[in-house]
């Protein structure tokens, strides 16, 4: 989740501007619907009521140190089957009309980013976001896990922990918790915090006081 370099960001921005301009006419004719035909299909998080119960049971403590943290301590994009790794499984799951080549790479399809409401047709424009970022997990208890457990966390397809979203949006999120960052698409915030609490509860991770307050605030409006 490291931020892209300035030049890479500029190239992506120019490329996307061209894509958006090219699709504008299609939008007018109705070929691109306001609502996506198929939205990201990560596992459904627990209900708001259950999330509130889970949140009340989480350990509240000051966030730990990032000392010693490395993404390499969370082996990610593990092979799931054949040539397909976790990233490719999520791209296939979250997209519409996704076609993969013999190496399991997505060569075509359409992806709707729940965080910002953008639709992309190139897999390179998508990052797979860890709902609870790896560095955040490290500071919330994962520093004491085994590497095997951290690998399971980083590749968790069972909980609502992985979702395909616009790459620059994912990079802007970085390792921030909901007290610091929430999706710009406000209609998705309830789902987002339900998923966040679901993941933290399942994996026994703590929350800090500001994080808990932010989660409670959103959940109270769900």
């Amino acid at each position: 989740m490291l931020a892209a370099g300035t030049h890479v960001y500029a190239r992506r921005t120019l490329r996307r501007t061209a894509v958006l301009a090219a699709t504008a006419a299609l939008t007018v004719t109705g070929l691109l619907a306001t609502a996506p035909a198929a939205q990201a299909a990560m596992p459904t998080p627990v209900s708001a009521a259950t999330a509130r119960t889970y949140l009340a049971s989480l350990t509240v403590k000051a966030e730990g140190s990032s000392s010693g943290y490395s993404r390499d301590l969370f082996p990610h994009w593990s092979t799931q089957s054949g040539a397909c790794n976790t990233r490719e499984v999520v791209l296939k799951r979250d997209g519409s009309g996704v076609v993969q080549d013999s190496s399991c790479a997505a060569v075509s399809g359409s992806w709707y980013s729940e965080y910002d409401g953008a639709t992309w047709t190139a897999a390179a424009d998508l990052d797979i976001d860890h709902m609870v970022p790896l560095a955040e997990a490290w500071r919330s208890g994962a520093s004491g896990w085994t590497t095997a457990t951290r690998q399971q966390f980083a590749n968790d397809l069972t909980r609502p922990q992985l979702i395909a979203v616009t790459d620059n949006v994912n990079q802007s999120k970085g390792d921030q918790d909901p007290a610091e960052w929430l999706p710009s698409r406000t209609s998705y915030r309830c789902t987002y915090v339900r998923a966040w609490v679901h993941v933290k509860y399942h994996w026994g991770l703590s929350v800090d006081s500001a994080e808990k307050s932010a989660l409670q605030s959103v959940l109270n409006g769900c």
Side-chain angles (χ1 to χ4, degrees):
M1 296 185 183
L2 295 176
T6 302
H7 296 302
V8 174
Y9 182 88
R11 288 198 298 272
R12 283 175 170 166
T13 301
L14 289 171
R15 171 161 47 86
R16 287 176 185 164
T17 299
V19 170
L20 292 173
T23 57
L26 294 178
T27 303
V28 172
T29 59
L31 293 178
L32 290 181
T34 300
Q39 296 188 12
M42 73 174 184
T44 302
V46 295
S47 68
T50 299
R52 284 191 285 268
T53 300
Y54 282 3
L55 181 58
S57 72
L58 294 181
T59 298
V60 180
K61 60 188 294 187
E63 205 167 72
S65 170
S66 294
S67 177
Y69 168 73
S70 168
R71 283 179 66 83
D72 293 339
L73 295 173
F74 291 79
H76 49 288
W77 309 160
S78 301
T79 299
Q80 295 295 331
S81 64
C84 300
N85 66 26
T86 307
R87 172 183 165 82
E88 287 137 2
V89 168
V90 176
L91 285 172
K92 175 72 171 179
R93 182 199 71 188
D94 289 3
S96 177
V98 178
V99 175
Q100 296 172 309
D101 64 17
S102 59
S103 299
C104 204
V107 294
S108 64
S110 177
W111 291 269
Y112 178 78
S113 172
E114 293 282 11
Y115 290 0
D116 59 333
T119 298
W120 303 107
T121 56
D125 286 319
L126 283 300
D127 275 358
I128 307 305
D129 180 43
H130 287 94
M131 177 64 63
V132 175
L134 305 183
E136 163 69 21
W138 177 269
R139 298 189 297 265
S140 303
S143 60
W145 294 351
T146 63
T147 300
T149 299
R150 288 192 288 262
Q151 180 172 11
Q152 292 169 2
F153 175 81
N155 297 276
D156 188 358
L157 292 165
T158 304
R159 264 64 54 178
Q161 165 66 345
L162 299 170
I163 184 171
V165 296
T166 302
D167 54 5
N168 289 346
V169 172
N170 180 50
Q171 291 152 16
S172 73
K173 171 183 171 178
D175 62 356
Q176 299 177 92
D177 69 34
E180 304 158 320
W181 188 94
L182 286 168
S184 61
R185 186 167 163 257
T186 56
S187 61
Y188 194 69
R189 289 181 179 178
C190 182
T191 301
Y192 184 86
V193 299
R194 285 162 47 210
W196 183 283
V197 172
H198 186 160
V199 172
K200 282 223 160 177
Y201 178 84
H202 176 82
W203 289 97
L205 296 169
S206 63
V207 291
D208 63 50
S209 57
E211 175 187 355
K212 182 175 182 178
S213 293
L215 292 166
Q216 286 177 324
S217 178
V218 177
L219 287 172
N220 286 341
C222 293

